[in-house]
């Protein structure tokens, strides 16, 4: 199937070709015609499946067909959970609208609002935003959502996880009730379905792949290890394997910072990316990781959302996520575009329950290895980590409510 057969205009096809894409992905094949038909769409798609173009291309076409008013009020709003994802979506919008008379901008916190406000005042068709900064500028009377025709919630599951439900409802109240709604989520949890029922009109359900499926090209391996020996083990694996471009996940910001210090002391160039880092620091770390100056990027789940790192060869779960679906999301960052990838999980005794839930969810039995000198502690408790200290307890079920 070609992009032309999906009903896209010549200007958009030209833009798609200029980005090096010839054929649509499954999510694009299914979502684009439905969105062009101006239906509400509820889509399940993991990061890396082409979902951004799946909503960006038809959104651009609809806006281009219905020419804007003279002063260019905001007609489409894309909400994302993180700054990185917002910036990535905006870049996609700019790339695909290069042959159209469409203007866009992105707003998020952590940076001065002056330039963001200036671009909005100059007139834009599409606004990409994180919820907090959007409400902040609205409360200051610096933008209006009264002319919105299309609303996109990107990675809606993560927005609920981050506690944005109340903000989302506030934002929806600022828009016309008659509009097209598009919701993209990695999973269809009960919370997502409840949210969709509140604001979507007879949505078309679109699924690119079976829910919670993992990428076949990814080699998965578990190392059973005593918790105090995890740092030495990951340093050994990276150093002796001569790994580069390694994305490491920790459960907490403090854990990420601590691991970076230990790896840097061992001569491994590394950086942390999490919510306490300034936007400038996050951008610098990501840039260094992409260009090879930084060998290891240590991230929390929230900060990692929206990181656009093509052909990432290694993902390491330094700590096992206590939300089973997050494991799928983490390892799905490697093994893309037909390339092979390796996903390593360092599992201590108190994380065995989490791994069992993950294997149940994915339907895969992951190979286990124990390295001499890094054996698990036979006397360690297998009781899962206290969720009050380390995060939510994993039940192997859907994501919990958005309130933390």
């Amino acid at each position: 199937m070609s992009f032309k057969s999906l009903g896209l205009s010549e200007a958009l096809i030209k833009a798609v070709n200029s980005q090096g894409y010839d054929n649509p992905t499954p999510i694009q094949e299914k979502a684009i015609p439905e969105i062009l038909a101006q239906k509400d769409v509820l889509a399940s798609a993991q990061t890396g499946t082409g979902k951004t173009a799946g909503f960006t291309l038809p959104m651009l076409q609809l806006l281009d067909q219905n020419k804007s008013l003279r002063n260019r009020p905001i007609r489409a709003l894309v909400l994302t959970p993180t700054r990185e994802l917002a910036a990535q979506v905006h870049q996609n919008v700019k790339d695909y609208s290069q042959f159209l008379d469409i203007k866009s901008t992105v707003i998020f916190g952590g940076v001065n609002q002056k330039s963001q406000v200036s671009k909005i005042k100059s007139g834009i068709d599409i606004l990409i935003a994180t919820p907090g900064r959007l409400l902040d500028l609205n409360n200051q009377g610096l933008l209006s959502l009264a002319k919105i025709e299309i609303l996109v919630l990107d990675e809606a599951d993560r927005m609920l996880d981050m506690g944005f439900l109340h903000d989302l409802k506030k934002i929806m109240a600022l828009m016309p009730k008659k509009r097209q709604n598009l919701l993209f989520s990695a999973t269809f949890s009960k919370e997502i379905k409840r949210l969709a029922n509140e604001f979507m009109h007879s949505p078309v359900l679109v699924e690119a792949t079976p829910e919670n499926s993992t990428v076949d090209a990814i080699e998965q391996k578990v190392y059973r290890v005593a918790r105090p020996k995890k740092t030495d083990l990951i340093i050994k694996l990276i150093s002796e394997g001569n790994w580069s471009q390694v994305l490491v996940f920790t459960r907490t910001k403090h854990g990420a910072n601590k691991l970076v210090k230990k790896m840097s002391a061992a001569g491994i160039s590394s950086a942390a990316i999490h919510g306490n880092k300034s936007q400038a620091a996050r951008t610098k770390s990501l840039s260094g990781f992409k260009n090879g100056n930084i060998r290891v990027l240590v991230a929390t789940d929230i900060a990692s959302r929206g990181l656009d790192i093509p052909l990432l060869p290694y993902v390491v779960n330094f700590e096992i996520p206590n939300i089973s679906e997050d494991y799928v999301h983490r390892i799905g960052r490697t093994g893309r575009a037909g390339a092979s990838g390796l996903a390593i999980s360092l599992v201590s005794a108190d994380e065995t329950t989490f791994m069992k839930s993950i294997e149940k969810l994915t339907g895969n039995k992951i190979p286990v290895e124990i390295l001499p000198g890094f054996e698990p502690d036979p006397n360690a408790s297998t009781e899962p980590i206290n969720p009050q200290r380390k995060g939510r307890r994993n039940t192997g079920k859907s994501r919990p409510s958005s309130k933390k």
Side-chain angles (χ1 to χ4, degrees):
M1 184 176 285
S2 66
F3 282 101
K4 188 171 184 177
S5 67
L6 298 179
L8 294 174
S9 67
E10 291 296 333
L12 286 171
I13 293 170
K14 184 179 177 183
V16 168
N17 291 339
S18 74
Q19 298 302 308
Y21 301 117
D22 298 316
N23 300 305
T25 64
I27 190 65
Q28 292 163 3
E29 284 184 17
K30 294 178 180 180
I32 288 175
E34 302 290 1
I35 297 172
L36 287 177
Q38 296 184 289
K39 297 176 183 176
D40 280 14
V41 172
L42 178 58
S44 171
Q46 298 283 347
T47 298
T49 57
K51 68 177 173 64
T52 305
F55 64 75
T56 297
L57 292 169
M59 175 179 68
L60 287 169
Q61 180 149 321
L62 291 172
L63 294 175
D64 186 56
Q65 287 171 350
N66 303 312
K67 296 300 182 183
S68 66
L69 301 175
R70 189 172 57 185
N71 60 347
R72 286 190 192 265
I74 302 167
R75 294 189 293 142
L77 173 64
V78 182
L79 287 174
T80 73
T82 66
R83 308 164 188 173
E84 284 77 18
L85 182 56
Q88 180 188 326
V89 171
H90 184 227
Q91 186 58 54
N92 274 260
V93 170
K94 289 194 294 182
D95 289 341
Y96 295 133
S97 63
Q98 58 182 299
F99 303 115
L100 300 173
D101 181 23
I102 295 284
K103 291 187 178 181
S104 61
T105 197
V106 60
I107 62 172
F108 46 71
V111 295
N112 191 290
Q113 70 178 42
K114 190 174 180 180
S115 63
Q116 298 178 355
V117 172
S118 176
K119 288 175 183 175
I120 292 170
K121 286 185 175 180
S122 70
I124 56 168
D125 301 284
I126 302 171
L127 178 64
I128 300 97
T130 51
R133 176 54 61 96
L134 178 66
L135 285 172
D136 186 21
L137 296 188
N138 177 76
N139 291 339
Q140 295 179 58
L142 297 173
L143 61 79
S144 171
L145 303 179
K147 300 292 183 181
I148 292 292
E149 300 167 17
I150 303 172
L151 167 66
V152 182
L153 298 187
D154 192 15
E155 301 204 351
D157 52 338
R158 181 57 64 178
M159 279 196 270
L160 296 190
D161 273 358
M162 293 171 68
F164 284 135
L165 180 60
H166 187 58
D167 287 349
L168 292 179
K169 290 184 177 181
K170 280 186 178 179
I171 291 167
M172 289 178 195
L174 300 171
M175 295 182 283
K177 288 187 177 180
K178 186 179 179 182
R179 62 176 189 269
Q180 185 176 13
N181 300 291
L182 313 174
L183 188 154
F184 284 73
S185 175
T187 59
F188 285 156
S189 66
K190 290 179 182 177
E191 290 75 23
I192 287 294
K193 290 174 181 175
R194 190 179 301 123
L195 176 64
N197 286 336
E198 288 184 16
F199 77 97
M200 302 187 85
H201 312 291
S202 304
V204 176
L205 190 65
V206 171
E207 294 185 82
T209 54
E211 189 174 349
N212 300 322
S213 66
T214 52
V215 183
D216 291 337
I218 302 172
E219 179 187 352
Q220 300 173 62
K221 184 184 288 187
V222 163
Y223 284 99
R224 292 285 311 284
V225 58
R227 178 169 286 280
K229 296 180 181 179
K230 280 192 176 188
T231 301
D232 289 339
L233 177 55
I234 193 172
I235 290 172
K236 173 185 172 68
L237 292 171
I238 292 171
S239 299
E240 294 185 4
N242 197 27
W243 295 354
S244 59
Q245 227 182 18
V246 187
L247 180 59
V248 179
F249 286 98
T250 61
R251 189 176 287 109
T252 65
K253 303 166 190 174
H254 172 71
N257 292 336
K258 187 176 178 182
L259 184 57
V260 164
K261 285 183 180 179
K262 293 282 184 69
M263 286 200 286
S264 297
I268 298 173
S269 58
S270 56
I273 183 166
H274 53 65
N276 282 357
K277 296 284 185 180
S278 69
Q279 184 58 37
R282 288 160 74 162
T283 301
K284 182 180 179 182
S285 295
L286 183 57
S287 176
F289 184 62
K290 285 183 174 181
N291 65 29
N293 291 332
I294 293 173
R295 194 168 165 188
V296 179
L297 188 65
V298 184
T300 56
D301 283 300
I302 288 176
S304 75
R305 204 72 167 192
L307 295 183
D308 184 20
I309 309 164
L311 304 178
L312 180 66
Y314 303 101
V315 169
V316 178
N317 294 300
F318 184 78
E319 292 172 305
I320 306 306
N322 46 357
I323 302 297
S324 299
E325 293 94 332
D326 282 346
Y327 175 85
V328 178
H329 181 81
R330 287 180 179 187
I331 72 166
R333 298 190 165 281
T334 185
R336 294 186 184 180
S340 60
L342 177 61
I344 296 291
S345 297
L346 309 186
V347 182
S348 54
D350 55 354
E351 295 172 313
T352 52
T353 300
F354 299 161
M355 277 312 301
K356 287 178 181 177
S357 295
I358 288 166
E359 289 181 330
K360 181 179 179 181
L361 181 76
T362 61
N364 292 330
K365 187 69 178 175
I366 304 170
V368 176
E369 191 171 332
I370 298 175
L371 292 184
F374 297 92
E375 294 85 358
D377 182 355
N379 299 315
S381 171
T382 57
E383 181 68 21
I385 300 165
N386 185 338
Q388 298 303 317
R389 289 192 302 108
K390 291 289 187 177
R392 297 183 301 269
R393 191 187 192 99
N394 188 339
T395 63
K397 298 179 182 178
S398 300
R399 296 176 182 275
S401 67
S402 61
K403 294 181 180 179
K404 288 191 175 183

